[in-house]
Amino acid sequence: MAELTALESLIEMGFPRGRAEKALALTGNQGIEAAMDWMLELLAQKQREREEREEREALERERQRRRQGQELSAARQRLQEDEMRRAAEERRREKAEELAARQRVREKIERDKAERAKKYGGSVGSQPPPPTTEPGPVPASPSQEPPTKREYDQCRIQVRLPDGTSLTQTFRAREQLAAVRLYVELHRGEELGGGQDPVQLLSGFPRRAFSEADMERPLQELGLVPSAVLIVAKKCPS
């Protein structure tokens, strides 16, 4: 009767029958107090295990957050370095074009001087001889180089965001469209302070939605050189 009374007392206290029977058996049927101590210790142990598990999970989440932050920071730094490199290349290109233009002007002046000296048979500053009764040959006009089609190596992209604002950036003509998408996602992530929805890039006119395959194609091949307007639309996750 003592064991039955102890079991009934534990059940009345709210302990499950199976756990109460196990507690009495493992404590050698030494009574209610010993069985309660065993069950309370079991509950405390489970509580400690749960707290330790939650602490490990929290630490893992923090490590993942820091790792993602470092990756985003590294990507942003690479983007800034690319922008600085493109700006330096643009300055060098403009300087080279300016020097080339000055050289062409100097060469044209020298050709004009040589033409005049050949035509009048003297120095450039000498006066031309009086005209004769017979007209002389018509001097040939300076040769003109045929215009050449310009090859653009830079592409200026304006991106219109869903909130009405816009981003403008210069890319290399041979860069992939994925670089534009990364630029937009990084800037949106910086403004929103964290994760953001994936974006879909659309051309302005004619309206066209770029696919994932297009992301691997260069801007020049997609017809976005020398400048283009793209529109950002939210892309539903697949």
Side-chain angles (χ1 to χ4, degrees), residues 21 58 87 170:
E21 291 177 347
T170 301

Side-chain angles (χ1 to χ4, degrees), residues 44-60:
Q45 182 179 355
K46 290 183 177 181
Q47 177 67 22
R48 288 193 299 269
E49 292 175 353
R50 183 170 60 252
E51 291 175 353
E52 291 174 357
R53 183 175 63 255
E54 292 175 352
E55 183 177 358
R56 289 194 301 269
E57 292 173 352
L59 290 174
E60 180 62 25

Side-chain angles (χ1 to χ4, degrees), residues 87-135:
E89 292 175 355
E90 179 68 16
R91 288 194 296 269
R92 287 195 295 269
R93 185 184 62 79
E94 292 176 352
K95 186 175 181 180
E97 290 180 353
E98 182 181 356
L99 293 176
R102 291 182 180 180
Q103 182 63 26
R104 287 194 296 270
V105 172
R106 285 194 294 266
E107 291 175 355
K108 186 176 185 305
I109 292 174
E110 293 299 326
R111 285 197 302 269
D112 291 343
K113 288 182 179 179
E115 290 285 345
R116 288 196 299 271
K118 181 179 179 181
K119 177 179 178 181
Y120 300 122
S123 63
V124 176
S126 62
Q127 295 294 327
T132 59
T133 55
E134 297 181 0

Side-chain angles (χ1 to χ4, degrees), residues 202-238:
L202 310 174
S203 61
F205 182 82
R207 182 60 61 91
R208 170 191 174 187
F210 293 103
S211 64
E212 286 299 323
D214 292 329
M215 295 299 153
E216 304 299 326
R217 299 174 60 188
L219 301 175
Q220 193 173 36
E221 183 178 326
L222 292 171
L224 302 178
V225 176
S227 64
V229 176
L230 299 180
I231 301 172
V232 171
K234 290 184 178 180
K235 181 172 67 175
C236 296
S238 56

Side-chain angles (χ1 to χ4, degrees), residues 9-23:
S9 299
L10 291 172
I11 293 174
E12 289 179 357
M13 291 178 185
F15 294 102
R17 171 182 283 277
R19 186 176 300 175
E21 291 177 347
K22 184 176 181 180

Side-chain angles (χ1 to χ4, degrees), residues 24 30 50-51 56 59 66 68 71 73 77 80 84 86 88 93 98 119 148 160 175 184 206 209 230:
L24 289 170
Q30 295 179 5
R50 183 170 60 252
E51 291 175 353
R56 289 194 301 269
L59 290 174
R66 292 184 180 181
Q68 292 173 354
E71 292 174 354
S73 177
Q77 183 177 359
Q80 291 175 351
M84 294 174 62
R86 284 194 294 268
R93 185 184 62 79
E98 182 181 356
K119 177 179 178 181
T148 58
R160 295 179 181 175
E175 280 193 88
V184 174
L230 299 180

